[in-house]
Amino acid sequence: MNIQNYINGSYHNPIQNNWIDNYNPSNGEVYGQTPNSTKVDIDKAYNAAKSAFRQWSQTTLEERSRILIKISELLEANLDRFVEAESKDNGKPISLAKSVDIPRAASNFRFFGNAITQFASESHESVGQNAINYTLRQPIGVVGCISPWNLPLYLFTWKIAPAIAAGNCVVAKPSEVTPMTAYLLGKILNEAGLPKGVLNIVHGLGNTTGQAIVEHPDIKAISFTGGTSTGAHIAKVAAPMFKKLSLELGGKNPNIIFADCDYDDMLETTVRSSFANQGQICLCGSRIFVEASIYEKFKTDFVEKIKQLKVGHPSESDTNIGALVSKSHLEKVKDYINIAKEENGVILCGGNEVKIKGFENGYYLEPTVIEVKTDECRINQEEIFGPVVTIMPFNTEDDVLQMANKVKYGLSATLWTNNLKRTMRLSNQLQVGIVWANTWMMRDLRTPFGGIKASGVGREGGFEALRFFTEAKNVCIKY
Ligand code: NAD
């Protein structure tokens, strides 16, 4: 099935007729073509967005809210179609697409449809000076949204929903590796009555289509989620044009387990936080540190649980681990397993490709647990973004804090302990944007989301996202 750009409310082939193959990771086959759009397509999308901006920015909050909530309802009504498309395009188990990805995409529209009606700005009385200040929160204009392949529609809508809720018009690009659900979204936008040009979805490679969005002088803000090196490149291109930037980048998150935790809950959640979505979630706890007194027990129990996970075709309802997203990504993850061996890491389980009968060319890999001797080895420092975790013991709270912070990334951390003082001490000192204690990836869409250090700049979520997608203008009136 071929994909087209969605510009000004209708579908179009790329103007220069450049296309790339779209692969099904579960069997390694090409199943369609995706536009590789160029500057001329971005200009066309920009012009549509610009023409729509005046009216959309003046549309009442109630009306914007109504349309966003309608999009959410239509996504829910078309759940199965989107779930199948997401699983086929990405390789993720259909159960995950059904329980997490597509419902969350619908929630994103519903949440920001509601949030925009509650988005208040500030006012300050300058006492003794007969003056009052109030702050306008005005939409920026035309903004760019660029998203990755791991949670395709989930992360795409996490950007575009607040952008349009706040009154902007958008030129958006999903990952070229997983374009399908963003393509399908266009039809829903029309059905929901989103005015033409408010949201334009353009497909293609990062260094052609993505680059053209970032380079466009009149696209005033870029919300980007993806790899750290891509984020650094985008920042460099955008800086001379003084674009507003939100960068959600890579992670290498510690999962810190103390002996006093609720063990069974911890074990079950740690299986999920390690391998959900084949470990391809920026929030996965890829470095597991376990207090020495329970280390051997944890090692045995964890490995036993991981060996029970079923690596299988994404469409089978009992599959735990589906396919990795692409051949090149599979090769990258396998390279890291080899690096681990060279660094004297001990492979406790996994480490091999899996050939599934009938789907031998799919990109399957066993969930892999590697015991490392030092936290400074490459597999403990570099983002792998696949079904691979490291484990090692620690002795004291101070030791584990040092190790947790000694990476270039700073996205999230998970703590397992029933000691509240320790939870609060560590939460204060961990160099990350998000801490979970005794849970993982529990999300409340009102909360700020994002990382520090090489994990990003800025925050998404709740009013933070609406702040990003608006400019504050202060008005001071003397009376
Ligand atoms: P990527 O950086 O390769 O690509 C992300 C997006 O950027 C894609 O749409 C791509 O086409 C585009 N892109 C690439 N080069 C570009 C350029 N020069 N100009 C403009 N756009 C460009 O990342 P990926 O491989 O798709 O995703 C995996 C990465 O995303 C991992 O590092 C992961 O940690 C990160 N991620 C972060 C978060 C977060 O919230 N912090 C969430 C999910 C994924």
Side-chain angles (χ1 to χ4, degrees):
M1 180 178 176
N2 282 2
I3 279 168
Q4 290 179 299
N5 292 330
Y6 172 81
I7 297 176
N8 210 23
S10 54
Y11 285 104
H12 303 268
N13 286 340
I15 293 167
Q16 294 180 325
N17 212 26
N18 295 333
W19 299 85
I20 47 179
D21 291 336
N22 191 19
Y23 286 84
N24 176 346
S26 74
N27 58 18
E29 286 169 13
V30 173
Y31 77 108
Q33 301 279 303
T34 305
N36 188 15
S37 308
T38 54
K39 184 176 174 307
V40 285
D41 301 292
I42 299 304
D43 286 345
K44 181 170 162 176
Y46 169 77
N47 289 335
K50 188 178 171 220
S51 305
F53 178 66
R54 181 186 285 265
Q55 199 182 346
W56 183 246
S57 60
Q58 293 304 314
T59 298
T60 63
L61 299 186
E62 287 71 18
E63 176 64 1
R64 284 188 222 155
S65 172
R66 191 189 65 73
I67 293 173
L68 265 84
I69 290 169
K70 184 74 188 160
I71 298 171
S72 165
E73 288 167 356
L74 287 169
L75 271 174
E76 282 161 352
N78 288 279
L79 182 78
D80 288 341
R81 212 162 114 245
F82 276 83
V83 164
E84 274 167 35
E86 199 73 299
S87 172
K88 183 171 178 181
D89 217 20
N90 173 278
K92 67 178 67 216
I94 200 142
S95 55
L96 190 69
K98 190 161 194 161
S99 60
V100 176
D101 288 78
I102 307 305
R104 172 59 190 275
S107 295
N108 288 338
F109 282 108
R110 178 170 289 110
F111 175 82
F112 284 107
N114 286 316
I116 193 61
T117 66
Q118 306 295 319
F119 184 42
S121 60
E122 48 192 308
S123 71
H124 303 274
E125 185 186 2
S126 298
V127 176
Q129 296 177 292
N130 285 353
I132 186 131
N133 291 269
Y134 63 90
T135 307
L136 297 171
R137 279 277 168 186
Q138 299 182 311
I140 298 169
V142 179
V143 301
C145 297
I146 302 176
S147 59
W149 49 256
N150 64 322
L151 303 168
L153 196 66
Y154 174 134
L155 289 175
F156 189 64
T157 55
W158 182 231
K159 297 181 179 305
I160 59 184
I164 62 176
N168 300 283
C169 292
V170 179
V171 177
K173 189 192 96 61
S175 170
E176 64 276 20
V177 188
T178 52
M180 188 52 87
T181 46
Y183 164 69
L184 296 176
L185 185 66
K187 292 176 190 167
I188 295 237
L189 302 177
N190 288 349
E191 236 180 289
L194 186 73
K196 288 177 182 175
V198 172
L199 175 56
N200 303 279
I201 302 171
V202 188
H203 298 273
L205 295 172
N207 56 14
T208 49
T209 319
Q211 183 86 13
I213 294 174
V214 180
E215 281 177 348
H216 196 293
D218 299 316
I219 295 180
K220 304 257 184 258
I222 303 287
S223 173
F224 169 80
T225 298
T228 292
S229 59
T230 315
H233 173 77
I234 287 175
K236 231 186 255 173
V237 175
M241 292 175 275
F242 307 104
K243 293 192 186 209
K244 212 174 174 186
L245 283 186
S246 165
L247 302 174
E248 298 290 342
L249 310 176
K252 191 74 186 173
N253 312 306
N255 178 6
I256 302 172
I257 299 167
F258 287 93
D260 70 348
C261 69
D262 289 339
Y263 188 83
D264 293 345
D265 189 13
M266 174 279 295
L267 193 62
E268 200 168 306
T269 308
T270 296
V271 172
R272 210 164 49 83
S273 68
S274 303
F275 295 111
N277 204 37
Q278 296 72 248
Q280 301 167 142
I281 301 181
C282 55
L283 304 165
C284 277
S286 53
R287 295 182 291 150
I288 304 177
F289 298 105
V290 187
E291 192 164 11
S293 60
I294 58 163
Y295 182 73
E296 289 304 324
K297 174 173 168 51
F298 173 81
K299 193 163 109 178
T300 309
D301 295 346
F302 186 57
V303 168
E304 195 185 303
K305 285 241 176 219
I306 301 311
K307 284 182 174 164
Q308 287 164 15
L309 295 177
K310 179 186 160 192
V311 181
H313 192 275
S315 67
E316 285 168 9
S317 59
D318 60 344
T319 288
N320 301 114
I321 309 276
L324 270 67
V325 75
S326 66
K327 176 103 181 119
S328 60
H329 191 55
L330 173 70
E331 294 305 327
K332 176 190 145 181
V333 178
K334 277 166 49 190
D335 283 350
Y336 270 109
I337 294 171
N338 288 330
I339 290 169
K341 289 176 187 159
E342 284 160 19
E343 288 180 323
N344 299 321
V346 180
I347 313 279
L348 298 175
C349 65
N352 301 304
E353 245 184 278
V354 180
K355 296 287 172 200
I356 296 187
K357 202 163 179 303
F359 307 101
E360 285 79 3
N361 293 325
Y363 317 133
Y364 300 94
L365 188 65
E366 290 172 333
T368 303
V369 181
I370 304 174
E371 184 174 50
V372 291
K373 305 286 174 228
T374 156
D375 65 297
E376 288 178 347
C377 56
R378 278 185 67 192
I379 55 157
N380 228 45
Q381 291 289 321
E382 298 174 20
E383 187 185 45
I384 301 174
F385 212 58
V388 178
V389 289
T390 64
I391 67 169
M392 66 176 285
F394 68 87
N395 289 312
T396 68
E397 189 179 311
D398 267 357
D399 288 349
V400 77
L401 179 66
Q402 300 300 324
M403 293 193 289
N405 285 341
K406 216 189 322 158
V407 288
K408 72 173 183 174
Y409 297 103
L411 188 53
S412 70
T414 304
L415 297 174
W416 289 96
T417 174
N418 277 315
N419 182 331
L420 181 60
K421 287 182 183 169
R422 174 153 64 199
T423 301
M424 295 178 81
R425 266 196 310 271
L426 284 172
S427 299
N428 257 325
Q429 295 178 78
L430 282 161
Q431 294 168 0
V432 292
I434 303 155
V435 178
W436 279 290
N438 304 324
T439 183
W440 175 73
M441 216 177 155
M442 183 185 263
R443 295 284 294 116
D444 180 325
L445 302 191
R446 292 169 300 180
T447 60
F449 178 93
I452 61 170
K453 295 161 63 177
S455 291
V457 178
R459 292 291 178 276
E460 299 188 314
F463 293 145
E464 295 285 343
L466 296 176
R467 284 187 199 105
F468 175 75
F469 284 115
T470 50
E471 292 286 7
K473 181 189 286 174
N474 193 68
V475 180
C476 175
I477 301 178
K478 186 150 165 88
Y479 56 86

